[in-house]
Each structure stands twice: as structure tokens, then as C-alpha cells.
Amino acid sequence: QVQLVQSGGGSVQAGGSLRLSCAASGRTFSAMGWFRQAPGKEREIVAAISRSGASTYFTDSVKGRFTISRDNAKNTVYLQMNSLKPEDTAVYYCAATTTFPGAVITPGHYDYWGRGTQVTVSS
């Protein structure tokens, strides 16, 4: 059974940091990513990482503030979020694919999803 179990998240003041983790099980995964969805908005890519970890992608609004990494031995992907802003407030979802090795960025590329975790940044 495939599972993506998310942890981390919560509430923080602007300028603070949070780290999200996503532990995957049940399959060997290729690319993994983090998406977010704010109220009234569509789900958007935040960051993605290739199977090897050598290739990453970040949406423009988080470049220089967020870092994505993975530990393939633990089948876990991380999202380190620094210098958080109120506009980062959203439900964050991890995603994984068994098909695409590169850092793919569209939701349709991903086969499996975590349940989501709330991140709230207050000003």
C-alpha cells in the first residue's frame, strides 16, 4: 500500500521558519514535489526534486527562501521554509511519481499525494 505521510507545518510569524517532511512507503519513487493551495486558489507547485536529487525546481515566489531535499534511504522528502511570508499561508501537499525521474512540476505528473498540512504565517 502506497502512503505519503506528511509531518511538520503549523503556525509561525512572518520571518520564521518551518520544515515539512513527507515519508513515502510502498513503492520506489522517482520525482517528488511539494504543492500548496490557498483558499480560493488553485493548487500550485512550490518545489520539485528529481530522483537523484541533482535537479530541483522552485517557483519564483519561494526562490532563495525554500529548500527541497530528499533522503532516498528513508524515502523521505523535505521542504525547508525560511523567511516565511503571510502569502505562503496555504495547505501544503507532498506528491510522488513512479514514472518521471526529473523534477516535474505539473500535478498531472504525480501519481500519489499526501493528505496535506496547514502552514499559517501571521504578519
Side-chain angles (χ1 to χ4, degrees):
Q1 181 181 1
V2 174
Q3 282 190 311
L4 300 182
V5 179
Q6 298 182 218
S7 59
S11 297
V12 67
Q13 289 191 326
S17 298
L18 288 171
R19 188 173 88 151
L20 305 182
S21 300
C22 175
S25 62
R27 296 290 298 271
T28 298
F29 295 100
S30 293
M32 301 185 78
W34 289 95
F35 290 76
R36 66 186 179 188
Q37 188 166 18
K41 295 187 177 181
E42 293 187 356
R43 190 171 299 190
E44 64 171 353
I45 182 71
V46 177
I49 188 166
S50 63
R51 173 73 176 90
S52 68
S55 178
T56 58
Y57 169 89
F58 296 94
T59 194
D60 285 346
S61 61
V62 308
K63 285 180 180 176
R65 301 188 296 122
F66 290 13
T67 303
I68 188 170
S69 60
R70 66 189 292 168
D71 183 339
N72 287 339
K74 297 181 178 179
N75 233 8
T76 299
V77 63
Y78 306 95
L79 184 69
Q80 178 66 43
M81 304 183 291
N82 298 328
S83 302
L84 282 160
K85 303 176 180 180
E87 50 263 44
D88 294 318
T89 295
V91 177
Y92 284 69
Y93 299 88
C94 70
T97 174
T98 58
T99 305
F100 301 98
V104 291
I105 65 172
T106 58
H109 282 116
Y110 290 92
D111 309 302
Y112 304 99
W113 293 82
R115 291 189 173 186
T117 187
Q118 178 69 46
V119 170
T120 302
V121 184
S122 58
S123 57

